[in-house]
Amino acid sequence: MPAPGAGGGAAGHAPVGRAVVSPVSPGGPNGPGGPGGPTGPRGRGGKGGNGDDPRALAKAKRRKRINWIVIPIAVFVLLAGLGVVTFTWYSTKVPTPESIIPPSATTILAKDNSVIAKLGSANRELVAANKIPDFLQKEVASAEDRGFFSRDGGVDYAGIVRAALNNATGGDKQGASTITQQYARKAYDGQQAYGNLTADSYGRKVKEAVLASKLAKEFDATTIMSRYLNIIYFGRGAWGIQAAARAYFGKDVDKLNVAEGAVLAGVIKQPDPDAVTGHKGFDPAINLKDATDRWNYVLDGMVEQGWLTPADRPTAYPAFKKPDDKACTIDCGINTPQGNVVNYVKEEMADMKLCDLTKNPASGKQSCSEALQNGGYRIKTTIDPKMQAAAVAVAQRAKKGSVINGQPANLQAAVVAIEPKTGRVLAYYGGDNGTGTDYAGKNVDAAGNITGGHPPGSTFKVYTLAAGLNAGVSLDSHWKGKPFTIEGTEIHVQNAGRDPGNNVSLRTATLQSYNVPFYYMTMKIGTDKVIDMAHRAGISTMWATDHQEAVNLASKPASELTPSPFFSGITGYGQYPITVIDHANGVATMADRGIYNKAHFVTSVSQNQQGQWVTVGGEKLDPRQTISQEVADNVGLVLRDYPEVAHHVLADGRPAAEKTGTWELNSKSSDNGDAWMVGYTPQLATAVWVGNKGDAKALLTKDGTKISGSGLPGEIFERFMNKALDGKPKEPFPSGVQKIGDPNAGNGETPPPPPPVIPGQQPTCTDPNDLLCVLQGQNQGQNQGHGQGHN
């Protein structure tokens, strides 16, 4: 029978010590009724009921004679081995406890400190010695090693000899491990200088004893106890006393009381059920009777040792948490919609020089994946749980009542919402888990290619419009709008089947998503100006569709990116794919009146260093006026009229700026392959995409309707924004915005004079700059959803 403190490990975990052989009786590990106890088998007080049997007496005499031969041999072997190993090991320097850092899990938190994900092989959070109550340290000693605080040295040599003799003479196999020996075994096992310290051998015992002895001479009992409590297993997936306090009582270790501490001290011996012996362990949720007996044993020992007065001894077993199989304790959160956040956390940690995205031996740093697995980080992110829940509720197929729920299986949605004044990503839905495809961001395929963009269609006109305004074009300028074929090509520039004539104002072209005027404007100002404006707004990457290459827009001047890989005027109305998060970042810049804040997820990074949380990284906001305020305000001046055009006005008349867009499935199809809605209020910018999750197919609703930007994406956008902004103030857009640019910058033809008004007849609207005309006469067909880039 193991001595107190032998401790058993959990199935599937490295063992903490030896498992108990049979249930423990109220008297404790060697109490009445237990093996080695006064009434148990081979106990000193019992002869098994055979005291008068001559055969039994003869057998006992023979065993005694054999013992007289075996004992000296065993002692000689033990002492010889002890001498050889001791000489070797005492010449070896023992690392300090501070240099032995056990792996600790990393916790990724939302902005309200709720858990998004927990990564690592061990649910452990190191705590400093001063955070572990003195009474709890005494309770552990009472349970595992009552001589711990009074022993001179970390080894119970008498116990080792007694155990060796008992084992040699056929008694129960005994461990005789003190807390210091247990710590030495657990902390130094596998270290190159020490080899295997968990092997069941006396050589291991000697090594363990020498280590323990040297530790006890160099470090005080409190230091060793605190290190011990940080590495041992307590069941419920909890490694270390802090994780155990949370698993069993939902509180930090320094908030435990005496009764609760005794529960945890009692659990150490065998935290989990043992399939071999059948003993259920000492988790009170599984084996309350034995857990209570063990609890009493611990508290009785406290009183006996003078560490607790009888009057202060608890008498009622404390309330405890039941194991929660759904609780996020280790390697959890990845297979959820929030799992994609982890990939951005890695990138930002690499930017902070805390790790390398990929293993680089020359740097001497861990890879970011390794750092998250065992570095013991606490990473606080920008994710707003309310907004994240709203995004998932409207965009995830599995959510009953979501916009996508019940729609054709090929449809996939993505939503990203950003705080314009900081760049903080408040909600991110790019798919159902962090190990699959991220439809809102970048991915790397099997060949190492970067993928992930979607053609933005007319939503890209936000940047084309800004580029035109920045180049001196006015919203009141007029442009040709008749469809045509680009000379020398087979590219037909059209307006989703509409012909608005050749005198369309830029404002109307924006509200009606006419492609032809935007093509002409792009050719006038230069395609490079559009690419540069998109980059300044926040578009980091565009994909060249002819060979599917991801192009970093910062890699070279925009003038070198056109006409190849980005061809002339069609860039202006959204052929080339971008990511959803970049698009959200771009419109966030417009929302903050031209001030760019890089989209990011991490606000602070702390690391547990020897039980102390140390801040090692965090966000560094760098707001920059990359687009002039006048340009951004003029963009907003027209986009704030779009909600009524798209039929997606926000609740309670909240001011918003919006833009829809689609892109055709392919050049031979009139169906759509991508559909978008982007927009913003002063405090929140959002991009929504709906497209295919696998092979490219026509975007159709369950009733066969073509999906345009104002369809499913618009519904997702409106529902999300209303929920996310519920209860927040209705912030107005800037008032008194002055139009900029030259009204005569366009190539539009002078319109013919209006027809005479016939008395009694409704006058025909001939001014495309009149919003009423737009809403009443020219709005038809905006939901047709065919052609190139459009609503």
Side-chain angles (χ1 to χ4, degrees), residues 475-539:
L475 290 173
D476 292 332
S477 60
H478 286 70
W479 301 83
K480 291 180 180 180
K482 284 184 173 293
F484 72 101
T485 299
I486 299 175
E487 186 177 351
T489 75
E490 296 181 358
I491 300 174
H492 188 62
V493 184
Q494 57 178 313
N495 305 301
R498 298 168 294 171
D499 182 355
N502 279 334
N503 191 47
V504 181
S505 74
L506 183 56
R507 183 174 185 278
T508 297
T510 303
L511 291 172
Q512 289 298 299
S513 283
Y514 294 141
N515 293 329
V516 175
F518 273 87
Y519 173 86
Y520 283 125
M521 185 175 71
T522 300
M523 294 303 294
K524 177 180 176 67
I525 66 174
T527 305
D528 61 317
K529 301 300 191 298
V530 176
I531 296 172
D532 178 65
M533 181 59 68
H535 183 222
R536 283 198 270 163
I539 307 302

Side-chain angles (χ1 to χ4, degrees), residues 265-281:
V267 163
I268 295 171
K269 186 174 184 64
Q270 186 187 331
D272 293 332
D274 190 314
V276 176
T277 66
H279 190 267
K280 296 180 180 179

Side-chain angles (χ1 to χ4, degrees), residues 187-381:
Y188 297 100
D189 180 46
Q191 298 286 320
Q192 186 173 2
Y194 308 110
N196 186 355
L197 290 178
T198 57
D200 197 4
S201 69
Y202 290 112
R204 182 269 292 175
K205 275 290 183 185
V206 173
K207 295 177 184 179
E208 175 188 297
V210 173
L211 270 174
S213 179
K214 296 186 74 173
L215 281 170
K217 287 183 178 181
E218 294 185 33
F219 305 100
D220 62 35
T222 299
T223 298
I224 294 173
M225 175 64 82
S226 66
R227 301 297 173 183
Y228 170 74
L229 288 175
N230 272 306
I231 67 172
I232 59 174
Y233 183 61
F234 285 86
R236 302 192 182 187
W239 291 86
I241 192 67
Q242 172 72 352
R246 288 182 173 164
Y248 284 83
F249 299 105
K251 60 177 69 173
D252 291 335
V253 63
D254 58 355
K255 300 297 190 298
L256 294 173
N257 59 40
V258 172
E260 293 165 340
V263 172
L264 298 183
V267 163
I268 295 171
K269 186 174 184 64
Q270 186 187 331
D272 293 332
D274 190 314
V276 176
T277 66
H279 190 267
K280 296 180 180 179
F282 299 102
D283 184 333
I286 300 173
N287 186 7
L288 182 58
K289 180 184 181 302
D290 283 356
T292 302
D293 291 343
R294 186 77 175 154
W295 181 76
N296 282 314
Y297 170 78
V298 171
L299 293 174
D300 288 345
M302 291 281 286
V303 174
E304 291 170 9
Q305 295 294 319
W307 297 331
L308 186 68
T309 67
D312 292 331
R313 183 199 187 283
T315 57
Y317 199 87
F320 54 87
K321 290 177 60 179
K322 293 183 178 180
D324 184 359
D325 293 337
K326 296 182 179 180
C328 186
T329 57
I330 200 68
D331 269 344
C332 50
I334 297 297
N335 294 318
T336 70
Q338 292 75 250
N340 280 309
V341 173
V342 175
N343 298 317
Y344 288 97
V345 168
K346 291 180 185 178
E347 292 180 9
E348 293 183 33
M349 288 183 69
D351 290 341
M352 297 174 195
K353 312 299 184 185
L354 298 175
C355 53
D356 294 324
L357 268 181
T358 56
K359 189 69 174 178
N360 178 14
S363 73
K365 299 176 183 175
Q366 289 183 308
S367 71
C368 292
S369 293
E370 291 171 334
L372 290 179
Q373 284 290 317
N374 57 39
Y377 290 98
R378 180 185 290 163
I379 302 170
K380 191 168 184 178
T381 71

Side-chain angles (χ1 to χ4, degrees), residues 386-387 389-391 393-394 651 684 717-728:
K386 174 187 173 183
M387 294 190 186
V394 297
L684 188 64
F717 178 89
E718 181 181 346
R719 285 176 54 181
F720 168 75
M721 292 291 280
N722 285 338
K723 185 67 175 178
L725 295 170
D726 184 39
K728 299 185 182 299

Side-chain angles (χ1 to χ4, degrees), residues 631-789:
V631 167
D633 286 351
N634 269 250
V635 170
L637 194 63
V638 60
L639 294 187
R640 69 178 71 173
D641 288 333
Y642 203 82
E644 191 171 354
V645 174
H647 307 295
H648 286 294
V649 177
L650 299 188
D652 299 323
R654 183 186 295 273
E658 299 173 359
K659 186 71 186 80
T660 59
T662 57
W663 195 257
E664 61 192 11
L665 180 63
N666 55 58
S667 60
K668 298 179 180 180
S669 173
S670 63
D671 290 313
N672 295 325
D674 297 89
W676 293 74
M677 168 76 102
V678 300
Y680 55 88
T681 67
Q683 66 263 61
L684 188 64
T686 299
V688 175
W689 166 85
V690 173
N692 284 289
K693 65 183 304 182
D695 295 336
K697 297 180 181 179
L699 299 187
L700 303 172
T701 64
K702 58 185 177 183
D703 60 6
T705 303
K706 293 180 180 180
I707 297 174
S708 66
S710 58
L712 297 188
E715 186 178 350
I716 291 173
F717 178 89
E718 181 181 346
R719 285 176 54 181
F720 168 75
M721 292 291 280
N722 285 338
K723 185 67 175 178
L725 295 170
D726 184 39
K728 299 185 182 299
K730 290 193 293 184
E731 295 187 14
F733 287 112
S735 59
V737 174
Q738 298 297 313
K739 291 182 179 180
I740 60 174
D742 180 7
N744 299 313
N747 67 350
E749 299 175 353
T750 303
V757 178
I758 301 175
Q761 180 177 333
Q762 183 71 25
T764 301
C765 177
T766 59
D767 183 4
N769 291 308
D770 186 334
L771 183 59
L772 288 176
C773 175
V774 171
L775 296 177
Q776 296 174 2
Q778 298 183 9
N779 194 34
Q780 56 182 325
Q782 75 98 14
N783 283 327
Q784 293 175 0
H786 59 86
Q788 302 173 21

